[in-house]
Amino acid sequence: MENWKGKVAIVTGASAGIGAAISLALVKGGMKVVGFARRSERVQQLSTELADQPGKLWAFKADLTKEQDILDGKLWAFKADLTKEQDILDGIKWTTENVGPVSVLINNAGIIQKTTLHDGDTQMWKNVLDTNIMAVAIASREAIRIMNENNIDGYIININSVAGHVVIDMPILNIYSASKFALTSMTETLRFELARLKSNIRVTSLSPGGVNTEIALTNNLMTAEEMKQFEGLARPMLESEDVANAVLYLLSTPLRVQVTELTIRPIREVN
């Protein structure tokens, strides 16, 4: 991590779970972190934990119409909706002008919606695809532009899932797994493009197995009974910090190393 100290990282979905753990780990490593999140109060809570760390956590809100918002404090706990392209564009522009050019982009934000494929809700499908795929594509494009303009050999890490490699029979996944399969393909396609350009910007798909986060219970995605019935949830699970440590490992590799895919699973997971 020595090479990244003082550099700028953007983490999407930084308000809780994996995103919060990654943000905390990067800050402890001396990076300046800009968190893109809709739940600003969560990021504000995280700031208390970061008070004595060598870096700073910054959280960004796309609508910077209030001057006082810009002047208040060292922790920027503002909202960004990643389903809106302009929010992402404004966020990266703000980061460049106020914190510095991005060196590391962690595309972590991802959602699951409580619907189905056989009789599902179209808008819910679109919400998943806009967050899990389109936001990654837009943020990556803009980050690469900034990296190129500033001659930065940056790193883009897409937080994927084992559900992006194997179809899992789980009631709530519906279009989520398809979005993660698309992310697997998109990450590798981006790597090909960067290689053809002789770019030193690296890109990795990081695919965790089961992680002990609140995603399954958020918005009542699963009932308590469904939780009990799903065998995988009764097994050991990863913690968010395990994914954060995997990110630190990737960032610690020398420039000559390109990790295309890193899959981590809890012990004894078989799905």
Side-chain angles (χ1 to χ4, degrees):
M1 284 296 294
E2 199 67 31
N3 293 332
W4 301 106
K5 282 189 175 180
K7 303 294 180 61
V8 176
I10 292 175
V11 180
T12 67
S15 62
I18 293 172
I22 292 173
S23 297
L24 182 58
L26 296 182
V27 169
K28 286 182 176 180
M31 296 193 74
K32 293 182 285 186
V33 179
V34 181
F36 285 41
R38 286 180 292 184
R39 295 182 293 180
S40 59
E41 69 282 358
R42 293 290 193 94
V43 183
Q44 187 65 49
Q45 182 179 352
L46 180 60
S47 69
T48 304
E49 304 174 34
L50 300 173
D52 298 324
Q53 304 304 329
K56 300 175 184 176
L57 177 74
W58 305 71
F60 173 76
K61 177 177 71 174
D63 183 7
L64 296 178
T65 58
K66 298 180 180 179
E67 182 179 3
Q68 193 59 43
D69 285 348
I70 302 175
L71 297 176
D72 282 345
K74 291 188 291 188
L75 172 63
W76 302 80
F78 296 155
K79 297 179 185 291
D81 184 348
L82 294 177
T83 65
K84 298 176 180 177
E85 180 175 7
Q86 194 60 50
D87 281 14
I88 301 171
L89 300 180
D90 289 347
I92 292 180
K93 181 175 184 291
W94 182 91
T95 300
T96 304
E97 294 176 350
N98 293 276
V99 185
V102 60
S103 292
V104 174
L105 171 64
I106 312 293
N107 286 308
N108 164 73
I111 63 169
I112 301 174
Q113 297 278 271
K114 188 175 184 180
T115 185
T116 63
L117 291 177
H118 70 273
D119 65 349
D121 181 280
T122 302
Q123 188 56 53
M124 287 184 176
W125 294 343
K126 288 181 177 179
N127 290 342
V128 171
L129 296 175
D130 284 345
T131 304
N132 297 4
I133 293 298
M134 292 305 299
V136 173
I138 295 166
S140 298
R141 179 192 66 197
E142 296 305 304
I144 290 169
R145 178 179 59 79
I146 296 297
M147 293 172 186
N148 286 335
E149 289 174 355
N150 292 274
N151 297 313
I152 294 172
D153 294 334
Y155 209 138
I156 297 172
I157 299 174
N158 294 333
I159 305 302
N160 200 337
S161 168
V162 295
H165 304 272
V166 178
V167 177
I168 300 170
D169 183 15
M170 184 174 177
I172 63 171
L173 289 185
N174 54 85
I175 206 166
Y176 173 84
S177 188
S179 74
K180 291 300 186 178
F181 267 82
L183 183 58
T184 300
S185 173
M186 187 168 68
T187 304
E188 186 70 348
T189 300
L190 178 57
R191 185 179 72 83
F192 290 155
E193 290 186 6
L194 293 170
R196 282 196 297 271
L197 294 171
K198 301 188 184 306
S199 171
N200 286 330
I201 298 171
R202 291 177 286 171
V203 58
T204 297
S205 164
L206 171 53
S207 301
V211 183
N212 184 24
T213 69
E214 61 189 42
I215 190 169
L217 295 175
T218 301
N219 298 320
N220 298 314
L221 292 175
M222 295 182 74
T223 66
E225 186 60 32
E226 288 172 331
M227 291 276 287
K228 292 178 182 178
Q229 290 175 359
F230 183 62
E231 184 182 7
L233 293 179
R235 299 171 185 165
M237 301 185 77
L238 297 171
E239 297 297 331
S240 297
E241 291 74 16
D242 299 322
V243 183
N245 287 334
V247 168
L248 295 182
Y249 161 72
L250 292 171
L251 293 176
S252 73
T253 57
L255 183 60
R256 66 180 179 274
V257 175
Q258 170 70 82
V259 181
T260 57
E261 168 65 38
L262 178 60
T263 301
I264 60 172
R265 293 177 180 267
I267 190 168
R268 300 193 304 278
E269 182 179 79
V270 295
N271 288 333

Coordinates of all heavy atoms in Angstrom, one line a residue, residues 19-105:
G19 N -18.6 -1.8 1.3 CA -18.1 -0.5 0.9 C -17.5 0.2 2.0 O -16.5 0.9 1.9
A20 N -18.2 0.2 3.2 CA -17.7 0.8 4.4 C -16.4 0.2 4.9 O -15.4 0.9 5.2 CB -18.7 0.8 5.5
A21 N -16.3 -1.1 4.8 CA -15.1 -1.8 5.2 C -13.9 -1.5 4.3 O -12.8 -1.3 4.8 CB -15.3 -3.3 5.2
I22 N -14.2 -1.4 3.0 CA -13.1 -1.0 2.1 C -12.6 0.4 2.3 O -11.4 0.7 2.3 CB -13.6 -1.2 0.6 CG1 -13.8 -2.7 0.3 CG2 -12.6 -0.6 -0.4 CD1 -14.4 -3.0 -1.1
S23 N -13.6 1.3 2.5 CA -13.3 2.7 2.8 C -12.4 2.8 4.0 O -11.4 3.5 4.0 CB -14.5 3.5 3.0 OG -15.3 3.5 1.8
L24 N -12.7 2.1 5.1 CA -12.0 2.1 6.3 C -10.6 1.6 6.1 O -9.6 2.2 6.5 CB -12.7 1.3 7.4 CG -12.0 1.3 8.8 CD1 -11.9 2.7 9.3 CD2 -12.9 0.4 9.7
A25 N -10.4 0.5 5.3 CA -9.1 -0.1 5.1 C -8.2 0.8 4.3 O -7.0 0.9 4.6 CB -9.3 -1.4 4.4
L26 N -8.8 1.5 3.3 CA -8.0 2.4 2.5 C -7.6 3.6 3.2 O -6.5 4.1 3.1 CB -8.8 2.8 1.2 CG -9.2 1.7 0.2 CD1 -9.9 2.3 -1.0 CD2 -7.9 0.9 -0.2
V27 N -8.5 4.1 4.1 CA -8.1 5.3 4.9 C -7.0 4.9 5.9 O -6.0 5.6 6.1 CB -9.3 5.8 5.7 CG1 -8.9 6.8 6.8 CG2 -10.3 6.4 4.8
K28 N -7.1 3.7 6.5 CA -6.0 3.2 7.4 C -4.7 3.1 6.6 O -3.6 3.2 7.2 CB -6.4 1.9 8.0 CG -7.4 2.0 9.1 CD -7.7 0.7 9.7 CE -8.7 0.8 10.9 NZ -9.0 -0.5 11.5
G29 N -4.8 2.8 5.3 CA -3.6 2.7 4.5 C -3.0 4.0 4.0 O -2.1 4.1 3.3
G30 N -3.7 5.1 4.4 CA -3.2 6.5 4.1 C -3.8 7.1 2.9 O -3.3 8.1 2.4
M31 N -4.8 6.5 2.3 CA -5.4 7.1 1.1 C -6.5 8.1 1.5 O -7.1 8.0 2.6 CB -6.0 6.0 0.2 CG -5.0 5.0 -0.3 SD -5.7 4.0 -1.6 CE -5.8 5.2 -3.0
K32 N -6.8 9.0 0.6 CA -7.9 9.9 0.7 C -9.1 9.2 -0.1 O -8.9 9.0 -1.2 CB -7.6 11.3 0.1 CG -6.6 12.0 0.9 CD -6.3 13.4 0.4 CE -5.5 13.3 -0.9 NZ -5.1 14.7 -1.4
V33 N -10.2 9.0 0.6 CA -11.3 8.2 0.1 C -12.5 9.1 -0.1 O -13.0 9.8 0.8 CB -11.6 7.0 1.0 CG1 -12.8 6.2 0.4 CG2 -10.4 6.1 1.2
V34 N -13.0 9.0 -1.3 CA -14.3 9.7 -1.6 C -15.4 8.6 -1.7 O -15.3 7.8 -2.6 CB -14.2 10.5 -2.9 CG1 -15.6 11.2 -3.2 CG2 -13.1 11.5 -2.9
G35 N -16.3 8.7 -0.8 CA -17.4 7.7 -0.7 C -18.6 8.2 -1.5 O -19.2 9.2 -1.1
F36 N -19.1 7.5 -2.5 CA -20.3 7.8 -3.1 C -21.4 6.9 -2.5 O -21.4 5.7 -2.5 CB -20.3 7.4 -4.6 CG -19.5 8.3 -5.5 CD1 -18.3 8.8 -5.0 CD2 -19.9 8.6 -6.8 CE1 -17.5 9.7 -5.8 CE2 -19.2 9.5 -7.6 CZ -18.0 10.0 -7.1
A37 N -22.4 7.6 -1.9 CA -23.5 6.8 -1.1 C -24.7 7.7 -1.1 O -24.7 8.9 -1.1 CB -23.0 6.5 0.3
R38 N -25.9 7.0 -1.0 CA -27.2 7.6 -0.9 C -27.5 7.8 0.6 O -28.1 8.8 1.0 CB -28.3 6.8 -1.5 CG -28.2 6.8 -3.0 CD -29.3 6.0 -3.6 NE -29.1 4.6 -3.4 CZ -29.9 3.6 -3.9 NH1 -31.0 4.0 -4.7 NH2 -29.6 2.4 -3.7
R39 N -27.0 7.0 1.5 CA -27.3 7.1 2.9 C -26.2 7.8 3.6 O -25.3 7.3 4.2 CB -27.5 5.7 3.5 CG -28.7 5.0 2.9 CD -28.9 3.6 3.6 NE -27.8 2.7 3.3 CZ -27.8 1.4 3.7 NH1 -28.7 1.0 4.5 NH2 -26.8 0.6 3.4
S40 N -26.2 9.1 3.5 CA -25.2 10.0 4.1 C -25.0 9.8 5.6 O -23.9 10.0 6.1 CB -25.4 11.4 3.7 OG -26.6 11.9 4.2
E41 N -26.0 9.5 6.3 CA -25.9 9.4 7.7 C -25.1 8.2 8.1 O -24.4 8.2 9.2 CB -27.3 9.3 8.4 CG -28.1 8.0 8.1 CD -28.7 7.9 6.8 OE1 -28.6 8.9 6.0 OE2 -29.3 6.9 6.4
R42 N -25.0 7.2 7.3 CA -24.2 6.0 7.6 C -22.7 6.4 7.4 O -21.8 6.0 8.2 CB -24.5 4.9 6.6 CG -25.9 4.3 6.8 CD -25.9 3.5 8.1 NE -27.1 2.6 8.2 CZ -27.1 1.4 7.8 NH1 -26.0 0.8 7.4 NH2 -28.2 0.7 7.9
V43 N -22.4 7.2 6.4 CA -21.0 7.6 6.2 C -20.6 8.6 7.3 O -19.5 8.5 7.8 CB -20.9 8.3 4.8 CG1 -19.4 8.7 4.6 CG2 -21.4 7.4 3.7
Q44 N -21.5 9.4 7.8 CA -21.2 10.3 8.9 C -20.8 9.5 10.1 O -19.9 9.8 10.9 CB -22.4 11.2 9.2 CG -22.1 12.3 10.2 CD -21.1 13.3 9.7 OE1 -21.2 13.8 8.6 NE2 -20.1 13.5 10.5
Q45 N -21.6 8.4 10.4 CA -21.3 7.5 11.5 C -19.9 6.9 11.4 O -19.2 6.8 12.3 CB -22.4 6.4 11.6 CG -22.2 5.5 12.8 CD -23.3 4.4 12.8 OE1 -24.2 4.5 12.1 NE2 -23.1 3.5 13.7
L46 N -19.6 6.5 10.1 CA -18.3 5.9 9.9 C -17.1 6.9 10.2 O -16.0 6.5 10.6 CB -18.2 5.4 8.5 CG -16.9 4.7 8.0 CD1 -16.6 3.5 8.9 CD2 -16.9 4.4 6.5
S47 N -17.4 8.2 10.0 CA -16.3 9.2 10.2 C -15.8 9.1 11.6 O -14.6 9.4 11.8 CB -16.9 10.6 9.8 OG -17.8 11.0 10.8
T48 N -16.6 8.8 12.6 CA -16.2 8.7 13.9 C -15.1 7.7 14.1 O -14.1 7.9 14.8 CB -17.4 8.4 14.9 OG1 -18.4 9.3 14.7 CG2 -16.9 8.3 16.3
E49 N -15.2 6.6 13.4 CA -14.2 5.5 13.5 C -12.9 5.9 12.8 O -11.8 5.4 13.1 CB -14.7 4.3 12.8 CG -16.0 3.7 13.4 CD -16.6 2.6 12.6 OE1 -15.7 1.8 12.0 OE2 -17.8 2.5 12.4
L50 N -13.0 6.9 11.9 CA -11.8 7.3 11.1 C -11.0 8.5 11.7 O -10.1 8.9 11.1 CB -12.2 7.6 9.7 CG -12.9 6.5 8.9 CD1 -13.5 7.0 7.6 CD2 -12.0 5.3 8.7
A51 N -11.5 9.0 12.8 CA -11.0 10.3 13.3 C -9.4 10.2 13.5 O -8.8 11.2 13.3 CB -11.6 10.6 14.7
D52 N -8.9 9.1 13.9 CA -7.5 9.0 14.2 C -6.7 8.4 13.1 O -5.5 8.0 13.3 CB -7.2 8.3 15.5 CG -7.9 9.0 16.7 OD1 -7.9 10.2 16.7 OD2 -8.4 8.3 17.6
Q53 N -7.3 8.1 11.9 CA -6.6 7.5 10.8 C -5.7 8.5 10.0 O -6.0 9.7 10.0 CB -7.6 6.7 9.9 CG -8.5 5.8 10.7 CD -7.7 4.7 11.4 OE1 -6.6 4.4 11.1 NE2 -8.3 4.3 12.6
P54 N -4.7 8.0 9.3 CA -3.8 8.9 8.6 C -4.5 9.5 7.4 O -4.1 10.5 6.9 CB -2.7 7.9 8.1 CG -3.3 6.6 8.2 CD -4.2 6.6 9.3
G55 N -5.5 8.9 6.8 CA -6.2 9.5 5.7 C -7.5 10.1 6.1 O -7.8 10.3 7.3
K56 N -8.4 10.4 5.2 CA -9.7 11.0 5.4 C -10.7 10.3 4.6 O -10.4 10.0 3.5 CB -9.7 12.5 5.1 CG -8.6 13.4 5.9 CD -8.6 14.8 5.4 CE -7.6 15.6 6.1 NZ -7.5 17.0 5.5
L57 N -11.9 10.2 5.1 CA -13.0 9.7 4.3 C -13.8 10.8 3.9 O -14.2 11.7 4.7 CB -13.9 8.7 5.2 CG -15.1 8.2 4.4 CD1 -14.7 7.2 3.3 CD2 -16.1 7.6 5.3
W58 N -14.1 10.9 2.6 CA -14.9 12.0 2.1 C -16.1 11.3 1.4 O -16.0 10.3 0.7 CB -14.2 12.7 1.0 CG -12.9 13.3 1.3 CD1 -11.7 12.6 1.6 CD2 -12.5 14.7 1.5 NE1 -10.7 13.5 1.9 CE2 -11.2 14.7 1.8 CE3 -13.3 15.9 1.4 CZ2 -10.5 15.9 2.1 CZ3 -12.6 17.0 1.6 CH2 -11.3 17.1 1.9
A59 N -17.3 11.8 1.7 CA -18.5 11.2 1.1 C -19.1 12.3 0.2 O -19.2 13.5 0.6 CB -19.5 10.8 2.1
F60 N -19.6 12.0 -1.0 CA -20.0 13.0 -1.9 C -21.5 13.0 -2.2 O -22.1 11.9 -2.3 CB -19.2 12.7 -3.2 CG -19.7 13.6 -4.4 CD1 -19.3 14.9 -4.4 CD2 -20.5 13.1 -5.3 CE1 -19.8 15.7 -5.4 CE2 -21.0 13.9 -6.3 CZ -20.6 15.2 -6.4
K61 N -22.0 14.1 -2.4 CA -23.4 14.3 -2.8 C -23.4 15.0 -4.2 O -22.7 16.0 -4.3 CB -24.2 15.1 -1.8 CG -25.7 15.3 -2.3 CD -26.5 16.0 -1.3 CE -26.1 17.5 -1.1 NZ -27.0 18.2 -0.2
A62 N -24.1 14.5 -5.1 CA -24.0 15.1 -6.5 C -24.5 16.5 -6.6 O -24.0 17.3 -7.3 CB -24.8 14.2 -7.5
D63 N -25.5 16.8 -5.8 CA -26.1 18.2 -5.9 C -25.3 19.1 -4.9 O -25.6 19.2 -3.8 CB -27.6 18.1 -5.5 CG -28.2 19.5 -5.6 OD1 -27.6 20.4 -6.1 OD2 -29.4 19.6 -5.2
L64 N -24.4 19.9 -5.5 CA -23.6 20.8 -4.7 C -24.1 22.2 -4.9 O -23.3 23.1 -5.2 CB -22.1 20.7 -5.1 CG -21.5 19.3 -4.8 CD1 -20.0 19.3 -5.3 CD2 -21.5 19.0 -3.4
T65 N -25.4 22.4 -4.7 CA -25.9 23.7 -4.9 C -25.8 24.6 -3.6 O -26.0 25.8 -3.7 CB -27.4 23.6 -5.2 OG1 -28.1 22.9 -4.2 CG2 -27.6 22.9 -6.5
K66 N -25.5 24.0 -2.5 CA -25.4 24.8 -1.3 C -23.9 25.0 -0.9 O -23.1 24.1 -0.7 CB -26.1 24.1 -0.1 CG -27.6 23.9 -0.4 CD -28.2 23.2 0.8 CE -29.7 23.0 0.6 NZ -30.3 22.2 1.7
E67 N -23.5 26.3 -0.9 CA -22.1 26.6 -0.6 C -21.7 26.1 0.8 O -20.6 25.6 1.0 CB -21.9 28.1 -0.7 CG -20.4 28.5 -0.4 CD -20.2 30.0 -0.5 OE1 -21.2 30.7 -0.7 OE2 -19.1 30.5 -0.4
Q68 N -22.6 26.2 1.8 CA -22.3 25.7 3.1 C -21.9 24.2 3.1 O -21.1 23.8 3.9 CB -23.4 26.0 4.1 CG -23.1 25.9 5.5 CD -21.9 26.8 5.9 OE1 -21.9 28.0 5.6 NE2 -21.0 26.3 6.7
D69 N -22.6 23.5 2.3 CA -22.3 22.0 2.2 C -20.8 21.8 1.9 O -20.2 20.9 2.4 CB -23.1 21.3 1.2 CG -24.6 21.2 1.6 OD1 -24.8 21.3 2.8 OD2 -25.4 20.8 0.8
I70 N -20.3 22.7 1.0 CA -18.9 22.5 0.6 C -17.9 23.0 1.7 O -16.8 22.5 1.8 CB -18.6 23.3 -0.7 CG1 -19.6 22.8 -1.8 CG2 -17.2 23.2 -1.2 CD1 -19.5 23.6 -3.1
L71 N -18.3 24.0 2.5 CA -17.4 24.5 3.5 C -17.4 23.8 4.8 O -16.5 23.9 5.6 CB -17.9 26.0 3.8 CG -17.8 27.0 2.6 CD1 -18.4 28.3 3.0 CD2 -16.4 27.1 2.1
D72 N -18.4 22.9 5.1 CA -18.5 22.2 6.4 C -17.6 21.0 6.5 O -17.7 20.1 5.7 CB -19.9 21.8 6.6 CG -20.8 22.9 7.0 OD1 -20.3 24.0 7.4 OD2 -22.1 22.7 7.0
G73 N -16.7 21.1 7.4 CA -16.0 19.9 7.9 C -15.0 19.2 6.9 O -15.0 19.5 5.8
K74 N -14.3 18.2 7.5 CA -13.4 17.4 6.7 C -14.0 16.2 6.1 O -13.5 15.6 5.2 CB -12.1 17.1 7.5 CG -11.3 18.3 7.9 CD -10.0 17.9 8.6 CE -10.2 17.3 9.9 NZ -9.0 17.1 10.7
L75 N -15.1 15.8 6.7 CA -15.8 14.6 6.2 C -17.0 15.1 5.4 O -17.9 15.8 5.9 CB -16.3 13.7 7.4 CG -17.2 12.6 7.0 CD1 -16.5 11.6 6.1 CD2 -17.8 11.9 8.2
W76 N -17.0 14.7 4.1 CA -18.1 15.1 3.2 C -19.1 14.0 3.1 O -18.9 13.0 2.4 CB -17.5 15.4 1.8 CG -16.5 16.5 1.9 CD1 -15.2 16.3 2.3 CD2 -16.7 17.9 1.7 NE1 -14.5 17.5 2.3 CE2 -15.4 18.5 1.9 CE3 -17.8 18.7 1.3 CZ2 -15.2 19.9 1.7 CZ3 -17.6 20.0 1.2 CH2 -16.3 20.6 1.4
A77 N -20.2 14.1 3.9 CA -21.2 13.1 3.9 C -22.4 13.5 3.1 O -23.5 13.9 3.6 CB -21.7 12.8 5.4
F78 N -22.3 13.4 1.8 CA -23.3 13.8 0.9 C -23.8 12.6 0.0 O -23.2 11.6 0.0 CB -22.8 14.9 -0.1 CG -22.4 16.2 0.6 CD1 -21.5 17.0 0.1 CD2 -23.0 16.5 1.8 CE1 -21.1 18.2 0.7 CE2 -22.6 17.7 2.5 CZ -21.7 18.5 1.9
K79 N -25.0 12.8 -0.6 CA -25.6 11.7 -1.3 C -25.3 11.7 -2.8 O -25.1 12.7 -3.4 CB -27.2 11.9 -1.1 CG -27.7 11.8 0.3 CD -29.2 11.9 0.3 CE -29.7 12.0 1.7 NZ -29.6 10.7 2.4
A80 N -25.3 10.5 -3.3 CA -25.2 10.3 -4.8 C -26.0 9.1 -5.2 O -26.0 8.1 -4.6 CB -23.7 10.1 -5.2
D81 N -26.8 9.3 -6.2 CA -27.7 8.2 -6.7 C -27.0 7.7 -8.0 O -26.9 8.3 -9.0 CB -29.1 8.7 -7.1 CG -30.0 7.6 -7.6 OD1 -29.5 6.5 -7.8 OD2 -31.2 7.9 -7.7
L82 N -26.4 6.5 -7.9 CA -25.6 5.9 -9.0 C -26.5 5.5 -10.2 O -25.9 5.1 -11.2 CB -24.8 4.7 -8.4 CG -23.7 5.1 -7.4 CD1 -23.0 3.8 -6.9 CD2 -22.7 6.1 -8.0
T83 N -27.8 5.5 -10.1 CA -28.6 5.2 -11.2 C -28.7 6.4 -12.1 O -29.3 6.3 -13.2 CB -30.0 4.7 -10.8 OG1 -30.7 5.8 -10.2 CG2 -29.9 3.5 -9.9
K84 N -28.2 7.5 -11.7 CA -28.2 8.8 -12.5 C -26.8 9.1 -13.0 O -25.9 9.4 -12.2 CB -28.8 9.9 -11.6 CG -30.2 9.7 -11.1 CD -30.7 10.8 -10.2 CE -32.1 10.5 -9.7 NZ -32.6 11.6 -8.8
E85 N -26.7 9.1 -14.3 CA -25.4 9.4 -14.9 C -24.8 10.7 -14.4 O -23.6 10.8 -14.1 CB -25.4 9.3 -16.4 CG -24.1 9.6 -17.0 CD -24.1 9.4 -18.5 OE1 -25.2 9.2 -19.1 OE2 -23.0 9.5 -19.2
Q86 N -25.6 11.7 -14.3 CA -25.1 13.1 -14.0 C -24.5 13.1 -12.6 O -23.5 13.8 -12.3 CB -26.2 14.1 -14.1 CG -25.7 15.5 -14.1 CD -24.7 15.8 -15.3 OE1 -24.9 15.5 -16.4 NE2 -23.5 16.4 -14.9
D87 N -25.1 12.3 -11.7 CA -24.6 12.2 -10.3 C -23.1 11.7 -10.4 O -22.2 12.2 -9.7 CB -25.4 11.3 -9.5 CG -26.7 12.0 -8.9 OD1 -27.0 13.1 -9.5 OD2 -27.3 11.5 -8.0
I88 N -22.9 10.7 -11.2 CA -21.6 10.1 -11.3 C -20.6 11.1 -11.9 O -19.5 11.3 -11.4 CB -21.6 8.8 -12.1 CG1 -22.5 7.8 -11.4 CG2 -20.2 8.2 -12.2 CD1 -22.8 6.5 -12.2
L89 N -21.0 11.7 -13.0 CA -20.2 12.7 -13.6 C -19.8 13.9 -12.7 O -18.6 14.3 -12.6 CB -20.9 13.3 -14.9 CG -21.2 12.2 -16.0 CD1 -21.9 13.0 -17.1 CD2 -20.0 11.5 -16.4
D90 N -20.8 14.4 -12.0 CA -20.6 15.5 -11.1 C -19.7 15.0 -9.9 O -18.8 15.8 -9.4 CB -21.9 16.0 -10.5 CG -22.7 16.7 -11.6 OD1 -22.1 17.1 -12.6 OD2 -23.9 17.0 -11.3
G91 N -19.9 13.8 -9.5 CA -19.1 13.3 -8.3 C -17.6 13.2 -8.7 O -16.7 13.6 -7.9
I92 N -17.3 12.7 -9.9 CA -15.9 12.5 -10.2 C -15.3 13.9 -10.5 O -14.1 14.2 -10.2 CB -15.8 11.6 -11.4 CG1 -16.1 10.2 -11.0 CG2 -14.4 11.6 -12.0 CD1 -16.1 9.1 -12.0
K93 N -16.1 14.8 -11.1 CA -15.6 16.2 -11.3 C -15.3 16.8 -10.0 O -14.2 17.5 -9.8 CB -16.7 17.0 -12.1 CG -16.3 18.4 -12.4 CD -17.4 19.1 -13.3 CE -17.0 20.5 -13.7 NZ -16.9 21.4 -12.6
W94 N -16.2 16.7 -9.0 CA -16.0 17.3 -7.7 C -14.7 16.7 -7.0 O -13.9 17.4 -6.5 CB -17.2 17.1 -6.8 CG -17.0 17.7 -5.5 CD1 -17.4 19.0 -5.1 CD2 -16.5 17.1 -4.3 NE1 -17.1 19.2 -3.8 CE2 -16.5 18.1 -3.3 CE3 -15.9 15.9 -4.0 CZ2 -16.0 17.8 -2.0 CZ3 -15.4 15.6 -2.8 CH2 -15.5 16.6 -1.8
T95 N -14.6 15.4 -7.1 CA -13.4 14.8 -6.5 C -12.1 15.3 -7.1 O -11.2 15.7 -6.4 CB -13.5 13.2 -6.8 OG1 -14.7 12.7 -6.2 CG2 -12.3 12.6 -6.2
T96 N -12.1 15.5 -8.4 CA -10.9 16.0 -9.1 C -10.6 17.4 -8.7 O -9.4 17.7 -8.4 CB -11.1 15.9 -10.6 OG1 -11.4 14.6 -11.0 CG2 -9.8 16.4 -11.3
E97 N -11.6 18.2 -8.6 CA -11.4 19.6 -8.3 C -11.1 19.9 -6.8 O -10.4 20.9 -6.4 CB -12.6 20.4 -8.7 CG -12.7 20.5 -10.2 CD -14.0 21.2 -10.7 OE1 -14.8 21.5 -9.8 OE2 -14.2 21.4 -11.9
N98 N -11.6 19.0 -5.9 CA -11.5 19.3 -4.5 C -10.6 18.4 -3.7 O -10.1 18.8 -2.6 CB -12.9 19.3 -3.8 CG -13.8 20.4 -4.3 OD1 -13.8 21.5 -3.8 ND2 -14.6 20.1 -5.4
V99 N -10.4 17.2 -4.2 CA -9.5 16.2 -3.5 C -8.3 15.9 -4.3 O -7.2 15.8 -3.8 CB -10.3 15.0 -3.1 CG1 -9.4 14.0 -2.3 CG2 -11.6 15.3 -2.3
G100 N -8.5 15.6 -5.6 CA -7.4 15.3 -6.5 C -7.9 14.3 -7.5 O -9.0 13.7 -7.4
P101 N -7.0 14.0 -8.5 CA -7.4 13.0 -9.5 C -7.4 11.6 -8.9 O -6.6 11.2 -8.1 CB -6.3 13.2 -10.6 CG -5.1 13.7 -9.8 CD -5.7 14.6 -8.7
V102 N -8.4 10.8 -9.4 CA -8.6 9.5 -8.8 C -7.5 8.6 -9.3 O -7.1 8.5 -10.5 CB -9.9 9.0 -9.2 CG1 -10.1 8.9 -10.7 CG2 -10.2 7.6 -8.5
S103 N -6.9 7.8 -8.4 CA -5.9 6.7 -8.7 C -6.5 5.3 -8.6 O -6.1 4.4 -9.3 CB -4.7 6.8 -7.8 OG -4.0 8.0 -8.0
V104 N -7.5 5.2 -7.7 CA -8.1 3.9 -7.5 C -9.7 4.1 -7.5 O -10.2 4.9 -6.8 CB -7.7 3.3 -6.1 CG1 -8.5 2.0 -5.8 CG2 -6.2 3.0 -6.1
L105 N -10.3 3.2 -8.3 CA -11.8 3.2 -8.3 C -12.3 1.8 -7.8 O -11.9 0.8 -8.4 CB -12.3 3.5 -9.7 CG -13.8 3.3 -9.9 CD1 -14.6 4.3 -9.1 CD2 -14.2 3.4 -11.4

